[in-house]
Amino acid sequence: MIAKIVKGKSFKGVINYVLDKAKQTELLAAEGVRHKSKESIIRSFVTQTGLNPKVFKTVGHISLDFSTQDRDKLTNAKMVQIAGEYMAKMGILNTQYIIGRHHDREHSHIHIVFNRIDNNGKTVSDRNDRYRSEKICKELTEKYGLYFARGKENVKQHRLKEPDKTKYEIYNVLKLAVPKCRNWDELRKELQRQAVTMNFKYRGSTDEVQGVRFEKNGYTFNGSKIDRQFSFSKIDFQLKRNGKAEDLQIRQEYPSVLENTGLALGGLFDLQPSGTDYDPDEAELLKQHQKKKKKRGFRL
């Protein structure tokens, strides 16, 4: 379940869209409006905005989209119940609203239109509304046992046009490449095999990396614009974790060889070896382990 929030100033436009017969619309619920016709609904909303003429954008419009995998369990009554809880948690209370369900897409979705001027003439707050909405959607998705999908899983990629088409191609390449690479050089080579170019963005004239960009088909995107998980910091964290996981696997497969080698080398672990896989924390633990063994050897 994901929510898309829009604020505007024309109730006529949004009501005509939500109640468009071409979208096979069902009006599931209404509160505080005369719903004999679209015109009467519009007049009801507009009349109440007169209680606070200082507010410019009085229209609240939220679409709640659900995964196609939840279609069978989402009855009209269930969707109204979910919408009601969503509005309550968002602070959309004591005001006019309608809830309409569209049947023009593969996935189930509803539209909530509400008046940002409540029944007492106060403004329904939109402070941090997108942040709060994302958190509430996750809570309700878990509560009702709905399918939790990343936003990009629902995108019909074969219908995309440029530059979105290329952006999703890069997304698919990164999704497969990052988990199997241990460092940036390996990732660069893997991307080149898929015709994707990678470049770093530096802070001013320094060598400090500030971000990463990916290019294909003449289009360039910042990593975070492709997906949040592909920002420089998050990719860097994943690559380092991949490298440590491989080192740990080697230690588990050849423990006796590594232990004997470590004891024989002794103080050489005080020096940092070359290479990107060196972990000073692991070296320190190994030194402590060696000291404990030596102490145990002198006990009577």
Side-chain angles (χ1 to χ4, degrees):
M1 168 183 168
I2 59 175
K4 299 175 184 177
I5 302 175
V6 179
K7 291 179 282 290
K9 57 181 179 179
S10 173
F11 278 106
K12 181 178 180 180
V14 71
I15 296 300
N16 284 332
Y17 171 77
V18 172
L19 300 182
D20 186 357
K21 291 182 179 179
K23 300 182 182 300
Q24 306 172 46
T25 303
E26 289 183 87
L27 181 60
L28 303 186
E31 180 67 34
V33 297
R34 296 173 61 88
H35 48 86
K36 182 179 180 180
S37 65
K38 288 194 293 185
E39 289 72 22
S40 64
I41 293 174
I42 295 169
R43 283 196 301 270
S44 298
F45 277 120
V46 172
T47 299
Q48 183 153 306
T49 60
L51 296 176
N52 192 342
K54 294 182 180 180
V55 179
F56 183 63
K57 292 187 176 181
T58 57
V59 179
H61 176 202
I62 301 173
S63 66
L64 297 181
D65 293 28
F66 303 86
S67 170
T68 54
Q69 300 194 34
D70 292 323
R71 181 186 299 174
D72 293 339
K73 66 176 70 173
L74 290 172
T75 63
N76 286 347
K78 181 63 68 177
M79 296 182 83
V80 170
Q81 181 181 354
I82 293 173
E85 288 192 42
Y86 172 86
M87 287 191 290
K89 289 177 178 290
M90 285 290 291
I92 304 172
L93 302 167
N94 190 39
T95 192
Q96 300 166 309
Y97 68 83
I98 67 168
I99 301 174
R101 180 175 186 174
H102 285 179
H103 294 274
D104 60 331
R105 302 286 180 87
E106 295 178 11
H107 66 281
S108 300
H109 61 288
I110 56 177
H111 292 265
I112 303 169
V113 179
F114 65 96
N115 202 327
R116 294 193 61 236
I117 307 302
D118 72 13
N119 301 334
N120 297 321
K122 296 181 179 180
T123 306
V124 175
S125 176
D126 62 350
R127 185 175 182 180
N128 297 323
D129 55 355
R130 287 174 173 79
Y131 172 79
R132 291 186 290 117
S133 176
E134 183 177 354
K135 182 179 179 181
I136 292 167
C137 283
K138 290 179 180 179
E139 291 175 359
L140 294 177
T141 296
E142 183 176 356
K143 176 179 178 179
Y144 286 95
L146 302 175
Y147 179 74
F148 187 81
R150 297 184 60 83
K152 291 182 172 58
E153 292 184 23
N154 293 322
V155 174
K156 305 295 186 297
Q157 296 189 28
H158 63 281
R159 298 181 182 176
L160 294 175
K161 297 181 180 180
E162 297 293 6
D164 289 332
K165 182 176 182 293
T166 295
K167 183 170 73 171
Y168 275 83
E169 288 177 1
I170 298 175
Y171 168 81
N172 291 329
V173 171
L174 288 170
K175 191 175 181 180
L176 294 175
V178 172
K180 63 181 181 181
C181 295
R182 298 172 301 170
N183 53 58
W184 286 101
D185 287 337
E186 288 186 6
L187 179 60
R188 185 188 298 276
K189 293 176 183 178
E190 183 64 27
L191 295 179
Q192 287 176 345
R193 284 193 281 268
Q194 303 296 326
V196 176
T197 303
M198 180 181 73
N199 293 294
F200 293 122
K201 179 182 177 182
Y202 296 93
R203 185 182 298 278
S205 58
T206 69
D207 293 332
E208 181 183 352
V209 178
Q210 192 175 25
V212 62
R213 296 190 180 105
F214 302 96
E215 180 180 349
K216 184 178 182 181
N217 300 331
Y219 297 101
T220 302
F221 305 93
N222 291 334
S224 59
K225 295 299 182 182
I226 295 173
D227 194 87
R228 291 180 182 178
Q229 65 179 306
F230 297 134
S231 66
F232 171 78
S233 60
K234 291 186 177 179
I235 293 179
D236 191 59
F237 176 81
Q238 181 65 51
L239 294 176
K240 290 177 179 177
R241 188 167 67 175
N242 295 346
K244 288 184 178 181
E246 184 169 318
D247 289 345
L248 179 61
Q249 183 177 357
I250 293 175
R251 288 173 180 272
Q252 291 174 341
E253 291 179 355
Y254 307 101
S256 59
V257 174
L258 289 173
E259 183 177 352
N260 292 336
T261 302
L263 290 173
L265 292 175
L268 289 179
F269 278 98
D270 292 337
L271 301 176
Q272 179 171 325
S274 61
T276 58
D277 292 333
Y278 174 74
D279 190 329
D281 293 333
E282 291 187 6
E284 182 63 27
L285 289 174
L286 186 56
K287 286 173 62 180
Q288 293 176 5
H289 178 67
Q290 295 168 16
K291 290 178 180 179
K292 288 180 179 179
K293 283 196 170 185
K294 289 179 180 180
K295 288 181 179 180
R296 284 200 295 267
F298 286 102
R299 288 180 181 176
L300 297 177

